[in-house]
Amino acid sequence: MKTRVLAGLAIAAAATVALSGCVQSANASNAAETSGGTTNLTVFISGDTNVQDLWDKSLIPAFEKANPKIHVSTSIDLHGEHDAQTQANLATAVKAGKSVAYDLVDAGFVSTAGKAGLMAKVSDSTIPNLKDVPEATKQQGGDSAIPYRASSVLLAYDSSKVTDPPETLDDLLAWIKANPGQFAYNSPSSGGSGGSFVATVLAKYLTADEQSTMQTTYDKSLESKWDKGFAALKDLGPSTYQKGVYPNGNDQVVQLLGSGQIAMAPVWSDQFITSQKTGVIPKTVKAIQITDPSFTGSASFLGIPKTEPKAKKAAAEQLADFVLSSKGQQLVASAVSGYPVIPLDSLPASVAEQFADANPSQLRLGFQSDFAADMNAAWDTKVPQ
């Protein structure tokens, strides 16, 4: 049978056109470094529109108000569809000693690019507020990445239908089979909540050392260790939503929960909080973290291209420092419900209370990016009926 994936297939034919447009947007010539004494910066975003809104509607206006001689704009590669090409272009520019068309990067590949020598090293001597970020959180990204928010995947459930939610992965798998059609997760290549569910099932069959290796390095030969996990996911398929229909993206999963079509699903913590604030999902939907193993989570990182001109690099560091300030972290928490990465006692009580149980330093990391890409491709061929 063909893979049954909800909406999104119809736009696949437009991918080539989208590639051209996004790359042009991301790599268009920079505005002049200074104009009338104003420094111009571009934040390149590889992600969803909510992240662009965070910058355009919250962080940038507040930063520019405090720093009127720095003008900031954004450029986005929606859903990071062209991350591989963006990184290849960045590598070519760095090798040639040339600057790129953006000054600060907000993308999932920042840590990988930094460890490959494509991002400038950072420290609290030039980004003072970095000193307030826990060392363990900084170590997740390496010495060229700036943690600025965090999130984790949680198990959301409709408490009007589920009175005793699963607490462990084994309990969850048993619940799914006992309640056919009431659980959904999106295809892993379409969103991180589904990807986390898949990675967590695979991790169930890995040793602690194997998990650690797959989080930090890349050895393709280890992927044979995934066979039991993929077999379990395939066996689970008929018990999931509509006997194996996998939503296209994190949003569709939340919409299924909100409409009552399912009773349980993995969701991003920040998306869950925002969806309850906006009424997309009712207050009867709760969220918990499972154990043995838990779902994954991590910080999100900013990076400054290694070949950034000196004057613009200083302005980009100033912007990053603002994002890590109490004001910047409040904006992140308010706009996208991201976990703050600075101590909660430096934030208003209302923010601190909202994230009292969130500790970015203790999140279980997902697979290293190359492993994650291989996992997504393998799921496409091994799991759907």
Side-chain angles (χ1 to χ4, degrees), residues 3 44 54 101 122 124 134 145 156 184 193-194 197 216 220 222 235 267 335 348:
T3 302
F44 174 70
L54 164 64
V122 298
D124 55 24
S193 61
F197 176 74
T216 56
K220 193 174 180 65
L222 289 176
D235 180 61
V267 297

Side-chain angles (χ1 to χ4, degrees), residues 106-255:
D106 183 350
F109 61 76
V110 164
S111 178
T112 300
K115 292 172 183 177
L118 304 181
M119 297 288 178
K121 293 188 183 304
V122 298
S123 72
D124 55 24
S125 63
T126 54
I127 306 175
N129 286 321
L130 197 58
K131 71 180 184 303
D132 296 326
V133 179
E135 194 61 35
T137 304
K138 289 187 282 191
Q139 288 176 358
Q140 291 177 5
D143 59 7
S144 297
I146 306 160
Y148 87 102
R149 61 185 171 91
S151 60
S152 65
V153 173
L154 302 173
L155 181 65
Y157 66 97
D158 187 339
S159 63
S160 68
K161 301 177 181 177
V162 182
T163 56
D164 186 21
E167 296 183 357
T168 68
L169 179 61
D170 282 342
D171 290 343
L172 172 57
L173 298 177
W175 187 94
I176 295 169
K177 288 194 171 184
N179 298 271
Q182 289 298 304
F183 177 87
Y185 69 95
N186 57 278
S187 55
S189 61
S190 71
S193 61
S196 179
F197 176 74
V198 171
T200 301
V201 173
L202 298 185
K204 168 179 165 62
Y205 300 95
L206 302 175
T207 66
D209 285 345
E210 288 167 347
Q211 289 187 55
S212 179
T213 297
M214 289 188 176
Q215 290 168 349
T216 56
T217 62
Y218 182 59
D219 179 356
K220 193 174 180 65
S221 67
L222 289 176
E223 292 177 8
S224 61
K225 303 285 187 177
W226 289 345
D227 289 348
K228 289 183 179 179
F230 277 126
L233 288 164
K234 185 175 182 64
D235 180 61
L236 197 67
S239 299
T240 61
Y241 177 63
Q242 293 189 1
K243 299 182 178 180
V245 171
Y246 302 95
N248 184 48
N250 306 313
D251 286 344
Q252 286 196 356
V253 172
V254 171
Q255 289 165 12

Side-chain angles (χ1 to χ4, degrees), residues 129 132 319-331 342 346-347:
N129 286 321
D132 296 326
L319 174 56
D321 194 58
F322 171 79
V323 174
L324 291 178
S325 69
S326 178
K327 174 65 173 177
Q329 291 289 282
Q330 290 175 55
L331 292 172
I342 63 174
S346 64
L347 299 170

Side-chain angles (χ1 to χ4, degrees), residues 293-342:
S294 65
F295 288 136
T296 56
S298 70
S300 293
F301 300 95
L302 306 175
I304 300 171
K306 187 175 183 179
T307 50
E308 178 77 347
K310 185 176 181 180
K312 298 191 79 176
K313 181 173 183 287
E317 290 169 339
Q318 193 171 342
L319 174 56
D321 194 58
F322 171 79
V323 174
L324 291 178
S325 69
S326 178
K327 174 65 173 177
Q329 291 289 282
Q330 290 175 55
L331 292 172
V332 169
S334 174
V336 294
S337 302
Y339 294 175
V341 296
I342 63 174

